[in-house]
Amino acid sequence: MTGSDFLHLDPAAAPPRERTTWLAAQLRTAIADGALGAGARVPPSRELAAELAFSRGVVVEAYRRLAEEGLLLAEGAAGTRVAETVPPATLPGPATDAAVARPETLHLSVGAPDLSAFPRAAWLRAERRVLSAATSRELGYADPQGVGALRIALSGWLARSRGVVVPPERIIVTAGVTGALSLTAQVMRDRGLTACAIEDPSADGNRRILDYWLDSLLPVPVDADGIDVEALTATGARAVLTTPAHQFPTGALLSPARRRELVAWAEQSDGLIIEDDYDSEYRYDRAPVRALHASAPDRILHVSSLSKVLAPALRIGWMVAPEHWHDDLVRKRWATDLGSPALPQLALAELIRTGALERQVRRLRLRHRERRNAAVAAVRAHLPDARIEGIAAGLHLLVLLPRHVDDTALAERAAAAGIRVAPLSAYRFSPGDPGVVIGYGPHSPARLEAAIAALGRLI
Ligand SMILES: Cc1ncc(COP(=O)(O)O)c(C=O)c1O
């Protein structure tokens, strides 16, 4: 039996320019259907390429993509086989949603970009350059605040892309948004701030980190204009975590009036606004909205990361804090772990310097827009009673369902049917309309259509 017979592949069905995507989709389906069971060997790439009359590169790339998704294991000379199980993350955080699924599960991951588009060649070039040029000093202990070359590069990047205009010495490199929130919460505690207001609904990873370090979280409702500042004022909080450019998960953009109200709240209450700028690179309806930071730099602690344009695995992010918070945050980082590893920071500086990061953002914006369009079309076709929100930006859609639907039960039924989807209630503090959050970043239009059609059948 040949490889392609075994897989029932019909190469004539492959669109000529999309053979890799087609082949990867066929293999995924074969794995999901059990035609390729756990541990099964897939044909050697050379053999399968010859049988399908494709170039070997097409097969190698399809295998690589599936390996990246945790579906295949490349074992060098021993060949490639279907993964048995995929290791679970031990401490669920923001990345968990973006992470791995069991091979048979179609994971409509929330928050993940298309990780198969990680610019491997550019990163390798940057690392090679860094390693050949790194001085002995650069191989020693780095500044806990972050490597100078990266902070210089970020200073330009933030000014250009987000309107955050600060000198390099005001930037603190962190282990993602999560690392920034963890440091901030610890310094808040040191200063006697043990409560933080947080949007309801909000990202569960952020919420769990703040909940770990602080005594209480004060939920504040959001509507189509973003966080409700009147309700925030009523909580009596002196710090708030918010996502102004793209509320997670509703997708609302903080309206100009609310921006003003929020800044006024901070001035009047001596408050701190923690601005999570998490996926602001992806705006599809207009030019990216400027970060809130410029409206009140001495009140706003701006945090963001590369998890949505490069990969969560890098664990690189940054924060720009009000001046009177800055030194305490750097000291906290020093006392915690002396800062982030220097070599990846230098490689990232190189990626920014050469324009590779900018190209990556542009490429991904186009790709994600196409995926968003496919997801929206599929929801309209297969869930006609649903209302879609948050389509103008980001990497996910919020699909609001008819009131009688129990979204948690639906997500459980979907999981049993092999589709992992996040129920809106998982992000809420208080009850509200049911819905599901559909992350489209990692999936091809065809996969999204199939998954959403299956979800429609379940409802
Ligand atoms: C709202 C929000 N902020 C930030 C992040 C990114 O966290 P990190 O930079 O730690 O990977 C996520 C990840 O899913 C998120 O959903």
Side-chain angles (χ1 to χ4, degrees), residues 1 41 147 445:
M1 185 181 277
R41 297 225 167 267
V147 167

Side-chain angles (χ1 to χ4, degrees), residues 46 87 228 397 423 429:
R46 194 184 301 276
D228 177 343
L397 303 177
F429 287 79

Side-chain angles (χ1 to χ4, degrees), residues 292-333:
L292 189 62
H293 180 265
S295 338
D298 54 345
R299 293 279 166 209
I300 297 173
L301 194 153
H302 174 90
V303 302
S304 194
S305 80
L306 286 171
S307 295
K308 312 296 178 189
V309 276
L310 287 176
L314 287 177
R315 307 307 310 133
I316 299 186
W318 49 84
M319 66 175 146
V320 176
E323 204 157 357
H324 57 292
W325 284 77
H326 179 90
D327 289 351
D328 284 354
L329 288 162
V330 176
R331 267 175 65 76
K332 187 63 78 182
R333 186 72 207 265

